[in-house]
Amino acid sequence: MSDSNITKLALANSLKGLMAKTAFNKICVSDIVDNCGLTRQAFYYHFKDKYDLMNWIYYTETACFMNSYNKVEHWMDGLTDLCNYMRQNKTFYINALNTTGQNSFQEYLHDYIRDISISVIESIKNTEFEEEKWGFIVEFISTAFVGLIVRWADNGMKDDPAEYVMKMRSLFDGSILCELESQSEGIATENPTKPE
């Protein structure tokens, strides 16, 4: 492992340790560097601010779940594995989910679910995603799933991730997927291909 990654990991572990006892908004850069024996100069060499460090942590830790399960057939498995990982690192991820704004973990999850939702739409009878036609339903799906994950975290992550994600999946498969297919068929009917 390079010296750069060793330093980043030391800073990341310091922040995660602090977040086990203190809310993220009450932690400053000097707390992070004092906790791991590094300098502010070392911190600012690698990260712009504490938000940049926090983003680096969740991108580094969760990228494997996002990238390994980015196919339509397996994204719920990825979500289950991600929730299991979050549960193993409960304090950090509860804090991460409660830190909102640009580049937040909620926004990162939202973008992931949005991308997968678009893939689901495009897999239905070769439907092409168009923001004007599909944007609202994709936004609904993404916001609903992130909201349910935040609710699960706020309740202490007590529910088993596999069972919790299965509830979301049954809602998705039972209602949302049917609606997507129905809208796709409606669009196909409105724009039938002309026989040659």
Side-chain angles (χ1 to χ4, degrees):
M1 185 181 297
S2 71
D3 288 346
S4 175
N5 279 340
I6 291 170
T7 304
K8 287 179 179 179
L9 282 172
L11 292 165
N13 288 331
S14 176
L15 177 58
K16 287 174 80 174
L18 290 167
M19 284 176 67
K21 302 171 274 196
T22 310
F24 178 73
N25 62 354
K26 301 215 187 281
I27 297 170
C28 60
V29 170
S30 19
D31 296 327
I32 297 167
V33 296
D34 290 348
N35 190 44
C36 64
L38 291 170
T39 64
R40 289 175 65 85
Q41 182 181 1
F43 180 94
Y44 288 112
Y45 180 78
H46 296 286
F47 301 106
K48 293 185 300 192
D49 52 30
K50 67 179 186 175
Y51 296 92
D52 192 29
L53 170 57
M54 189 158 161
N55 292 344
W56 183 84
I57 293 169
Y58 60 71
Y59 280 117
T60 304
E61 292 185 349
T62 64
C64 61
F65 302 108
M66 306 304 190
N67 295 332
S68 300
Y69 298 102
N70 60 358
K71 299 283 185 268
V72 172
E73 305 81 37
H74 305 293
W75 75 286
M76 290 288 192
D77 298 331
L79 203 52
T80 300
D81 287 352
L82 175 63
C83 288
N84 275 316
Y85 184 80
M86 289 166 55
R87 195 181 197 194
Q88 292 164 7
N89 297 275
K90 186 191 290 191
T91 306
F92 175 77
Y93 281 100
I94 287 174
N95 267 322
L97 285 165
N98 284 310
T99 303
T100 56
Q102 188 176 10
N103 297 323
S104 67
F105 189 55
Q106 282 191 34
E107 187 177 87
Y108 178 58
L109 280 177
H110 180 278
D111 291 347
Y112 167 68
I113 294 168
R114 186 179 198 283
D115 290 345
I116 292 294
S117 300
I118 291 169
S119 297
V120 169
I121 289 167
E122 291 178 339
S123 72
I124 300 170
K125 298 180 184 172
N126 299 318
T127 302
E128 187 175 324
F129 177 78
E130 294 175 40
E131 187 67 40
E132 197 174 291
K133 293 177 185 171
W134 299 104
F136 178 80
I137 198 160
V138 165
E139 188 62 28
F140 174 82
I141 293 166
S142 307
T143 303
F145 272 61
V146 171
L148 286 167
I149 291 170
V150 169
R151 186 181 182 100
W152 170 73
D154 286 347
N155 287 330
M157 300 184 177
K158 292 176 192 153
D159 291 341
D160 177 76
E163 291 174 15
Y164 196 74
V165 170
M166 188 54 71
K167 287 178 190 174
M168 289 193 282
R169 181 177 196 137
S170 63
L171 174 68
F172 184 83
D173 289 349
S175 302
I176 298 171
L177 192 57
C178 290
E179 179 63 21
L180 289 172
E181 289 171 343
S182 165
Q183 284 195 23
S184 177
E185 288 167 8
I187 290 168
T189 306
E190 289 171 19
N191 304 311
T193 54
K194 294 180 183 175
E196 295 182 4

